[in-house]
Amino acid sequence: MRKLFLALLLFLLTTATAYADAAPGDTIVTYGYNLTPAQKEQIKGRFGAPSGAQEITVTNQEEHKYLDGLLSKSVIGTRALSSAMIQIAEQGNGINVQTNNITWVSKAMYENALATAGVKDATVKIDAPSPVSGTAALTGIMKAYETMTGTKIDENQKKVANEEMVTTAKIGDQIGDKEKAAELLTRLKAELAKQTGNMSDDQLREMIRNVANQMGLQLSDSEIESLVSILRKIQNLNIDWNKTLDQISSYKGQVQDFLNNNPEAKSLVQEILQFLKNLIDQILAWFK
């Protein structure tokens, strides 16, 4: 019990330190390294960043680090142009994304991927000097969030978030509806949140078909296999999905419906997390 107490205390102190430097309203802007001075000023004006907002840059090499293998090098390109502004919001606001000149990735896709990466309660604006796919913007947003909060996002979560974004965008192209594709991923994550253990590939396929049928979507075998691959990786992340799903502002109000769609399936993982939360609350009460 003493070891558990010390471990929980260390966790609380670490969490408090990580967010000590970030407060609602804090803002940081990440610019593509290859923007011209005129393009940077144009985007800065559209962002409406507050005076004194911190500024950083993201390079094409950083983009390739997470997108190589997911997209061809010709699609990723050789220049970093897309930019983003991220502002810490009040707790409970979730992730709210606005885009301009982004042609391939929808706002809900960004929200989904950022939630998977562990970003919380933030207003995000994404822009480019001319229409671009938008796949590289996620790298800049995560870098900005790390810089502002002092919280290091796990490298595996970054990779999974990028793969999720690309997978969703590709399925959006194939079914002809990007928003439906983003909703599909959100619903599938909600289904994962109900599970008491890791699902087999066959179980994941059945789950994907059931959710797709509920949404009136017909998925090809290759689309199903791509979803099995990303869901397997998502499933292996150490994430409290009930809280994470609530960060996706595009589906606020619907997430609980997704979770309640199968009320008899209560996640053992969630029960354990709730127990730990209650224990932490008791420890904090002792200190008071």
Side-chain angles (χ1 to χ4, degrees):
M1 188 68 179
R2 178 180 173 83
K3 289 183 177 179
L4 177 60
F5 170 81
L6 291 174
L8 289 172
L9 180 59
L10 179 61
F11 168 79
L12 290 169
L13 291 173
T14 302
T15 303
T17 301
Y19 287 91
D21 294 332
D26 287 353
T27 304
I28 188 169
V29 183
T30 174
Y31 293 106
Y33 179 79
N34 298 107
L35 289 173
T36 66
Q39 289 171 331
K40 180 177 176 180
E41 286 304 311
Q42 183 184 50
I43 289 176
K44 186 175 184 178
R46 289 203 291 259
F47 279 157
S51 176
Q54 187 177 358
E55 297 181 357
I56 61 174
T57 59
V58 63
T59 67
N60 185 249
Q61 288 74 23
E62 290 173 294
E63 297 169 1
H64 276 272
K65 178 179 178 180
Y66 298 106
L67 293 172
D68 279 351
L70 300 176
L71 293 167
S72 68
K73 294 185 184 299
S74 61
V75 173
I76 303 171
T78 58
R79 297 186 299 163
L81 297 173
S82 55
S83 304
M85 181 178 78
I86 180 168
Q87 187 173 65
I88 296 296
E90 295 288 345
Q91 185 175 357
N93 279 18
I95 303 166
N96 292 272
V97 174
Q98 301 173 33
T99 66
N100 182 58
N101 278 335
I102 304 299
T103 62
W104 200 49
V105 183
S106 73
K107 63 185 295 291
M109 291 180 195
Y110 282 120
E111 290 171 359
N112 249 310
L114 288 169
T116 296
V119 173
K120 298 179 180 68
D121 301 316
T123 299
V124 180
K125 294 182 179 181
I126 303 166
D127 205 343
S130 59
V132 297
S133 66
T135 53
L138 185 61
T139 300
I141 298 168
M142 292 188 294
K143 181 178 180 180
Y145 186 77
E146 288 181 318
T147 301
M148 183 163 49
T149 65
T151 303
K152 180 64 177 174
I153 298 173
D154 179 76
E155 285 297 307
N156 188 46
Q157 277 187 258
K158 290 181 184 179
K159 292 177 181 177
V160 173
N162 274 280
E163 184 172 346
E164 176 190 330
M165 176 186 66
V166 172
T167 299
T168 312
K170 287 180 177 178
I171 290 176
D173 276 348
Q174 290 159 351
I175 67 176
D177 192 328
K178 295 182 185 299
E179 295 308 318
K180 278 284 187 182
E183 182 182 345
L184 173 63
L185 258 293
T186 306
R187 286 176 177 263
L188 290 173
K189 287 179 181 178
E191 290 298 313
L192 286 180
K194 302 172 189 175
Q195 305 307 314
T196 57
N198 283 347
M199 303 174 72
S200 67
D201 285 355
D202 284 341
Q203 288 174 319
L204 286 173
R205 291 185 188 99
E206 182 180 2
M207 182 184 76
I208 292 164
R209 292 190 182 98
N210 287 340
V211 173
N213 288 337
Q214 292 169 15
M215 296 178 63
L217 298 175
Q218 295 295 321
L219 300 178
S220 67
D221 288 344
S222 64
E223 290 163 356
I224 291 173
E225 291 308 308
S226 68
L227 286 169
V228 168
S229 175
I230 189 60
L231 288 178
R232 171 69 63 219
K233 293 169 184 175
I234 286 173
Q235 190 178 47
N236 290 333
L237 295 175
N238 184 23
I239 289 178
D240 180 348
W241 284 109
N242 282 338
K243 293 180 180 178
T244 301
L245 288 166
D246 196 47
Q247 289 290 319
I248 305 170
S249 296
S250 290
Y251 300 107
K252 270 193 177 295
Q254 299 179 55
V255 167
Q256 201 57 47
D257 292 337
F258 300 159
L259 290 168
N260 292 337
N261 196 35
N262 184 12
E264 69 273 13
K266 178 65 177 177
S267 170
L268 177 61
V269 174
Q270 296 307 318
E271 292 178 8
I272 294 172
L273 288 171
Q274 186 60 47
F275 166 78
L276 290 174
K277 180 182 181 300
N278 293 339
L279 186 59
I280 291 170
D281 288 342
Q282 288 180 9
I283 292 170
L284 291 174
W286 293 343
F287 279 108
K288 291 178 181 178

